[in-house]
Amino acid sequence: MKFTLPPLPYSLDALVPYISKQTLEYHWGKHHNAYVNNLNRLIEGTEFEKYSTLEDIILRSDGAIYNNAAQAWNHHFYFEQFSPKAKHMPSGELMDYLIRDFGSYSEFEESFSKMASAFFGSGWVWLVCDESGKLSIEATQNAKNPATEDGLRPLLTIDVWEHAYYLDYQNLRSDYIKAFFKVLDWSVIERRF
Ligand code: MN
């Protein structure tokens, strides 16, 4: 198999009580894994077999290949930003940019949470950076990755597909969003920035 499921950088029960072991078993072990396996199956015998990174495929494909490649990328990006010993606040240059573009850290968190809470359907909400360094919040439907739309560089993301939170929070998406910020490790986001 060409692409493989990246391991989680923490144990399955490391994010309890915010994200349960069962959610990670399904969300990473089954959903994320299925996107990787589907992609491998779909690219067999196509021009996409020659690419070694998901980004290469995302930027050139559409339809089912795009959807599975983008979901594989998005999920890896999502899972690797959590830690049981999360740094809860950004600092340094990233904090300066958040203050410049949103007014304060709490105004950023509030706007991001509002957009994630109000998002209709399945998709992702992102903090992105444009070519000039300006930060903004973007929402994308289904598998869509902001890098393929306007060349925006993702810095952090929340998965708002129901499979990301339904086992733990059922219909209470806003509780999931609050829990997300308890395990989001800003040191990872600072490295990406
Ligand atoms: Mn997901």
Side-chain angles (χ1 to χ4, degrees):
M1 288 309 231
K2 201 170 160 59
F3 291 100
T4 53
L5 179 67
L8 294 176
Y10 39 77
S11 66
L12 286 168
D13 59 2
L15 306 180
V16 174
Y18 304 108
I19 299 177
S20 69
K21 183 180 179 191
Q22 195 190 21
T23 287
L24 287 178
E25 281 169 347
Y26 277 85
H27 196 191
W28 171 75
K30 297 191 188 294
H31 289 273
H32 188 180
N33 196 36
Y35 294 124
V36 173
N37 292 337
N38 288 339
L39 178 66
N40 284 328
R41 184 172 48 75
L42 288 162
I43 62 175
E44 222 179 288
T46 74
E47 59 181 304
F48 296 105
E49 257 185 337
K50 67 172 184 269
Y51 296 114
S52 56
T53 70
L54 293 169
E55 289 91 333
D56 284 332
I57 296 179
I58 290 168
L59 294 172
R60 293 170 176 86
S61 61
D62 56 18
I65 291 180
Y66 176 86
N67 286 338
N68 284 282
Q71 283 294 78
W73 192 97
N74 297 351
H75 280 87
H76 183 212
F77 193 76
Y78 171 80
F79 287 125
E80 75 172 7
Q81 66 192 357
F82 299 131
S83 167
K85 293 184 183 134
K87 181 184 179 200
H88 293 296
M89 285 283 277
S91 59
E93 209 182 354
L94 177 57
M95 185 59 136
D96 296 341
Y97 277 65
L98 285 166
I99 292 167
R100 184 196 66 183
D101 295 333
F102 297 98
S104 65
Y105 172 77
S106 47
E107 282 169 273
F108 156 74
E109 192 179 309
E110 197 183 312
S111 303
F112 185 90
S113 301
K114 265 192 193 153
M115 201 183 288
S117 183
F119 184 85
F120 188 81
S122 293
W124 301 81
V125 174
W126 308 79
L127 172 66
V128 296
C129 179
D130 74 10
E131 278 166 10
S132 73
K134 187 173 175 15
L135 303 178
S136 62
I137 301 168
E138 300 286 327
T140 61
Q141 291 284 343
N142 301 322
K144 196 83 180 177
N145 184 289
T148 52
E149 217 139 86
D150 318 295
L152 296 168
R153 194 158 60 86
L155 297 175
L156 83 84
T157 193
I158 185 166
D159 186 341
V160 289
W161 286 57
E162 284 186 346
H163 69 222
Y165 61 88
Y166 222 81
L167 288 172
D168 294 337
Y169 300 100
Q170 295 79 47
N171 59 324
L172 303 176
R173 192 193 288 174
S174 58
D175 286 357
Y176 158 63
I177 297 164
K178 283 188 203 120
F180 167 89
F181 278 106
K182 301 281 190 197
V183 287
L184 176 68
D185 186 357
W186 280 97
S187 64
V188 176
I189 315 308
E190 286 164 10
R191 280 200 298 278
R192 290 172 176 170
F193 182 63

